[in-house]
Amino acid sequence: MKLVRFGPIGREKPGLVDGSGTIRDLSAHIDDIDGTNLGKDSLERLRSLDVSTLPEVDASTRLGACVGNIGKFLCIGLNYSDHAAESNLQIPEHPILFMKATSAVVGPNDTVEIPRGSKATDWEVELGVVIGTKAKYVKKEDALSHVAGYCVINDVSERDYQTRLSGQWTKGKSCDTFGPTGPWLVTADEIPDPQSLDLYLDVNGKRMQTGTTAKMIFDVGTIIEHLSSLMTLHPGDVITTGTPPGVGMGIKPEPVYLKPGDTMELGISGLGVQRQNVVQG
């Protein structure tokens, strides 16, 4: 299934995308696409619905982030060997973890704001993993059974804030609008191998990032095993798993960063496409 949230900011409703690409309203069956409705039983109940009886949603309706009420937004850094190389950083021994404030989360096509004083706002296409069932001390071989589904995430980043404001990377990752998420939450049964997905990101129509999740240093199962040994993962938690090469910071001879008026388009095979216009905050 492809699950969505649609409607005005703060008043999104749950929906799903039918076989023809039409959004159908799930409001009569669940309150939201969030942790309370992402368990195996809940998803099976949604699969059993007669989609043709669900109300259609106008195609022009805004899409919100595909997961509501996110508990933890966990981010893995330097998880592609070729991205680590372009950043002139060593491949990590263990997954690098930082947090993104949930207040950064926006819809997949919402405007991205460059923060006041920013000099280095950058783009990062990433595979998002959404937890469906509680995970604690999970082994790698069982890890994917705890995944509700996958989505596209743009881990927008302010590099000066990230590296020069002292402290953790979180400062450069949590600005308002820095977490476009969606368009859909594609349930795990439709993505049998999360390590065989192609990713891309364009800025103003120019291809900047091209990658494959096969190049991850730590695969999704390893990431869940590691994180669940440190903290309990709860339904509705989101993990974004790192970005392939081609970020603005890595461009030679001089980095290139986002400016007002730019447009980003990014996507992952099977998970849909995002588009964002960039404005000054």
Side-chain angles (χ1 to χ4, degrees), residues 1 3 29-30 34-49 132-134 145-148 187 189 235:
M1 287 185 297
L3 301 174
H29 300 276
I30 56 174
D34 61 10
T36 61
N37 294 299
L38 292 177
K40 292 179 174 61
D41 290 345
S42 296
L43 294 180
E44 274 306 313
R45 185 166 60 86
L46 295 180
R47 287 190 188 95
S48 70
L49 296 174
T133 58
K134 181 179 176 181
S145 68
H146 294 269
V147 174
T187 52
D189 59 297

Side-chain angles (χ1 to χ4, degrees), residues 44-66:
E44 274 306 313
R45 185 166 60 86
L46 295 180
R47 287 190 188 95
S48 70
L49 296 174
D50 182 352
V51 175
S52 66
T53 66
L54 300 174
E56 294 187 16
V57 177
D58 188 277
S60 64
T61 303
R62 171 189 173 269
L63 294 181
C66 60

Side-chain angles (χ1 to χ4, degrees), residues 14 93 116 158 177 186 206 212 214:
E93 182 179 357
R116 295 178 184 177
E158 213 296 337
T177 76
V186 180
K206 181 181 179 181
T212 170

Side-chain angles (χ1 to χ4, degrees), residues 95-177:
I96 293 174
L97 174 66
F98 60 92
M99 309 287 279
K100 185 183 282 282
T102 56
S103 57
V105 176
V106 291
N109 305 314
D110 287 346
T111 298
V112 166
E113 297 180 0
I114 296 177
R116 295 178 184 177
S118 168
K119 299 178 181 178
T121 296
D122 206 345
W123 54 83
E124 293 190 11
V125 59
E126 304 201 4
L127 171 66
V129 179
V130 181
I131 298 298
T133 58
K134 181 179 176 181
K136 185 174 183 177
Y137 299 123
V138 170
K139 296 299 183 184
K140 176 181 176 178
E141 54 267 25
D142 300 321
L144 297 189
S145 68
H146 294 269
V147 174
Y150 303 92
C151 63
V152 181
I153 292 175
N154 190 351
D155 178 22
V156 185
S157 308
E158 213 296 337
R159 302 304 187 186
D160 282 341
Y161 298 179
Q162 180 182 352
T163 60
R164 297 175 186 166
L165 285 189
S166 302
Q168 300 177 349
W169 289 2
T170 300
K171 290 181 179 180
K173 300 285 188 169
S174 294
C175 302
D176 292 349
T177 76

